Structures are given as C-alpha cells and as structure tokens.
C-alpha cells in the first residue's frame, strides 16, 4: 500500500497552467516551482526547483495542444512533458505521485475496430505507469473501459454535476418544455443519466458516420418540436457532429432552440468557424482544455473545474473516499 506523503505539492506543465493555479488557490497551497520547456530541436525538458522528497505530489497536465510564449505545443509535447515530470519527481523521491489529467488524450483508440489497429489508450496507460505515476485523476474519459487499462488506481471524475447545476438554473422557468438530446447512439448512456438528474425527457440523434471527423444525420428519435434542447457530449473536436446534430434538431425536429455542453473543448481545425455558423445558441465547456488564445466566439462559455479537482486531491491526500464527488 502506498502511504500518503507528508504534504501536498502541485506542479504543472504548459498545457493548462491556469487550471493548476486555480486548483492551488482552492487548496491554499503555492504552485510548485518548476520549469518546463523545449530545446531548440524540440526535445522537452523539465527542471524541478524545490524539494519533493516524501511529498504527496500532484502533476496537473491535460494532454492537449497549447501555446506558450509564441511556441505552439502539440498533444505529444503535453504527454512528454507529463511523463518527464513524473520521472523527475520519482527520482526526487516523492512520496506518491498522482497524474492529474483533466483531459486524457489518446482515448479515442480504445479497441481494435479493424485489423492492425493500435490501442493507443492502453499504450499511454502503460507509459504513465512506467514513468512512475502511483495513481491517476482524470475527468470524463472518452470510454469508460480505459479505467481497466491501468494497473494503478484511477479516479474518473464526472463533469455532469457542474452542467446539471448550470442548466437547472438556466431553464428553471421553462423546465417542462426542455429536453436532453444525445448527439449519437454511443452517448445515450451518458445523456440518459444527465436527463434523469435534470428530470427531463431524452431524445437521440441517430446518425451514420461515413469517415473520421464527418457524419450524416439520419433520424431523430423522440419529439423535440417546440422544445428547448440541451445537447450533451463528452468532447468537441472539429465540431462537425455537434453542429450537424443541432441543425437537424431545428430543421427536421422543429426544436425551438438548441444549447450544447461538453466536458472537453478540443476545438481543432474548422471547429470555431462551424460553431459560429451553427444554429447553436450556446456551447458550454469545462476548462479541462483551456480556451484557445485569441479565439473570438460569443457562443462559447467555460466553467471552471478547479473546485472539483481540488476536492478530489484533498480526498486522495487524506485517504478518504472520492465517491461523494460522483453523486
């Protein structure tokens, strides 16, 4: 059994430093003194400038692209920074190391769907374990079975309670005319739980995906006519699926208006343009992936997850149950 460290120390890479600072503010501890960067040839480096011996260390790093001081970092840079930081802290004799990964990338290849496919999520799980992580704290994994890829404890926090509170307040006056919609069949289980918490009916957008990052809406299962609609997804990458679903709900289903929420706003490629041109009234994200610098889109709203992660870190440190966070 891994004993907890003598104190809490929080370090961060370059992918989501503001969230790390917000978590530290909630915990009442300073952000760890470290430097994470890249050599001129692109190799990542890490320097830890304070003792971590015997400490309960939490490394906050989403595996998403980022920008720092004019340098663009890729998903791979974020992952390598995390692995190198874990290795550095392990060699610095940290008491326990928890990888806090608000957005766990490489999660979309979680099984073989055709011959010679990799299972990238399992590979990343192995890398984190071999680097020296003792446990992982993340939020809304793209596929729940990824939890079983780890040979170390993993806590998968849920972002839905934050959205439940937000939309309960937003639609309080028109609750009976509001519905939750799953943007595809694969998200039905998540959307059903969300709808139950909001005490709202559920509809489903049935679509057929022709190729990666594209989809064709086929049918709407449920009556959304003249309803306020909430689309729920775990992540938005290029935005094609979500925007097509929203358009179908209005043009085919006759919905009055459409709002959407997703835990992870990856927003790559044409995502911002598609969202701006879509029928969506609002798209709400959690800040597991930070807002893109310089991006202007009035439809986007971000809600902080710092309090939830700070509470989870406190439970881990005190070795008390994290389960109250899942209610």
């Amino acid at each position: 059994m891994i004993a907890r460290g003598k104190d809490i120390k929080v370090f961060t890479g370059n992918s989501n430093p503001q969230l790390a600072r917000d978590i530290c503010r909630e915990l009442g501890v300073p952000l760890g003194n470290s430097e994470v960067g890249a050599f001129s040839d692109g190799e990542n480096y890490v320097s830890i400038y304070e003792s971590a011996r015997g400490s309960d260390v939490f490394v906050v790093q989403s595996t998403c692209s980022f920008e720092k001081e004019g340098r663009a970092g890729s998903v791979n840079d974020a992952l390598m920074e995390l692995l190198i930081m874990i290795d550095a802290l392990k060699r610095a004799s940290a008491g326990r190391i928890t990888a806090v990964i608000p957005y766990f990338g490489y999660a979309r290849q979680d099984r073989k769907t055709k011959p010679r496919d990799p299972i990238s999520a399992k590979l990343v799980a192995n890398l984190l374990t071999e680097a020296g992580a003792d446990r992982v704290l993340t939020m809304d994994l793209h596929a729940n079975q990824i939890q079983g890829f780890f040979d170390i404890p993993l806590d998968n926090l849920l972002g839905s309670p934050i959205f439940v509170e937000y939309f309960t307040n937003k639609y309080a006056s028109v609750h009976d005319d509001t519905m939750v919609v799953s943007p595809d069949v694969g998200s039905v289980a998540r959307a059903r739980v969300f709808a139950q918490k909001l005490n709202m009916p559920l509809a489903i957008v049935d679509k057929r995906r022709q190729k990666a990052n594209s989809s064709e809406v086929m049918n709407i299962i449920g009556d959304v006519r003249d309803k306020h609609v909430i689309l729920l997804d775990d992540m938005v990458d290029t935005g094609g699926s979500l925007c097509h679903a929203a358009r179908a709900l209005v043009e085919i289903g006759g919905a009055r208006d459409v709002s959407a929420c997703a835990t992870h706003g990856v927003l790559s490629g044409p995502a911002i343009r598609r969202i701006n041109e879509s029928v969506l009234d609002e798209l709400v994200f959690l800040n597991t992936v930070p807002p893109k610098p310089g991006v202007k889109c009035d439809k986007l709203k971000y809600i902080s997850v710092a309090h939830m992660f700070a509470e989870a870190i406190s439970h881990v440190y005190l070795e008390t149950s994290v389960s109250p966070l899942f209610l």
Side-chain angles (χ1 to χ4, degrees):
M1 180 177 178
I2 302 168
R4 69 182 171 96
K6 61 185 180 182
D7 57 0
I8 293 178
K9 293 204 173 184
V10 179
F11 293 89
T12 185
N14 290 318
S15 70
N16 208 340
Q18 184 57 53
L19 177 56
R21 287 190 287 267
D22 293 343
I23 290 172
C24 287
R25 191 177 302 112
E26 292 276 349
L27 291 169
V29 300
L31 185 63
N33 187 8
S34 64
E35 180 182 0
V36 184
F39 294 113
S40 57
D41 65 350
E43 288 184 9
N44 299 109
Y45 69 82
V46 168
S47 295
I48 308 294
Y49 294 129
E50 63 180 83
S51 174
R53 185 177 296 274
S55 297
D56 214 343
V57 176
F58 297 83
V59 183
V60 181
Q61 178 83 327
S62 289
T63 48
C64 60
S65 59
F66 60 88
E67 291 186 25
K68 180 189 178 184
E69 299 174 353
R71 180 178 74 91
S74 68
V75 174
N76 297 331
D77 288 317
L79 177 58
M80 281 304 300
E81 286 183 2
L82 176 59
L83 294 172
I84 296 171
M85 290 190 80
I86 293 170
D87 181 76
L89 291 162
K90 179 182 179 182
R91 296 176 188 278
S93 300
R96 176 170 60 182
I97 302 170
T98 300
V100 181
I101 313 173
Y103 168 61
F104 185 91
Y106 281 106
R108 283 175 278 189
Q109 287 190 303
D110 59 335
R111 63 195 185 280
K112 292 186 68 171
T113 58
K114 60 181 184 295
R116 296 171 295 280
D117 266 2
I119 304 180
S120 306
K122 172 58 176 172
L123 173 61
V124 172
N126 290 344
L127 289 171
L128 289 166
T129 305
E130 288 300 315
D134 294 305
R135 68 184 304 131
V136 172
L137 182 61
T138 188
M139 177 172 277
D140 282 341
L141 284 169
H142 188 62
N144 286 328
Q145 64 263 28
I146 294 174
Q147 297 175 75
F149 294 175
F150 286 86
D151 295 324
I152 55 177
L154 181 145
D155 294 306
N156 182 32
L157 301 179
L158 304 177
S160 60
I162 300 174
F163 290 133
V164 167
E165 180 181 3
Y166 177 81
F167 285 108
T168 296
N169 294 330
K170 179 176 179 177
Y171 291 109
S173 61
V174 290
H175 179 273
D176 293 340
D177 293 320
T178 308
M179 293 185 68
V180 172
V181 175
S182 172
D184 54 49
V185 175
S187 300
V188 170
R190 182 186 298 109
R192 181 182 293 115
V193 173
F194 185 58
Q196 289 172 346
K197 289 181 178 179
L198 285 169
N199 192 26
M200 294 177 182
L202 175 68
I204 303 167
V205 177
D206 179 29
K207 70 176 188 288
R208 181 176 301 163
R209 187 179 298 273
Q210 304 296 333
K211 58 182 179 180
N213 296 326
S214 68
S215 61
E216 179 184 352
V217 174
M218 304 298 290
N219 193 21
I220 297 172
I221 305 171
D223 185 9
V224 299
R225 186 164 300 279
D226 295 326
K227 299 289 187 179
H228 304 281
V229 167
I230 306 170
L231 271 168
L232 172 73
D233 213 343
D234 66 321
M235 65 179 290
V236 176
D237 187 358
T238 62
S241 295
L242 192 72
C243 293
H244 291 159
R247 185 176 62 191
L249 287 166
V250 172
E251 294 180 357
I252 300 175
R256 183 176 302 178
D257 56 64
V258 182
S259 295
C261 60
T263 303
H264 313 297
V266 178
L267 301 181
S268 60
I272 297 299
R273 174 181 58 79
R274 286 174 172 173
I275 293 167
N276 275 323
E277 296 173 354
S278 73
V279 300
L280 289 169
D281 286 356
E282 181 180 49
L283 176 52
V284 185
F285 291 123
L286 304 182
N287 64 339
T288 56
V289 177
K292 302 288 184 183
V295 169
K296 294 183 179 179
C297 182
D298 294 335
K299 296 183 180 183
L300 296 183
K301 178 181 177 65
Y302 286 84
I303 303 176
S304 177
V305 293
H307 178 74
M308 182 173 285
F309 273 98
E311 192 171 349
I313 287 171
S314 296
H315 281 290
V316 170
Y317 174 69
L318 296 172
E319 295 185 345
T320 55
S321 175
V322 184
S323 59
L325 298 178
F326 296 96
L327 300 178

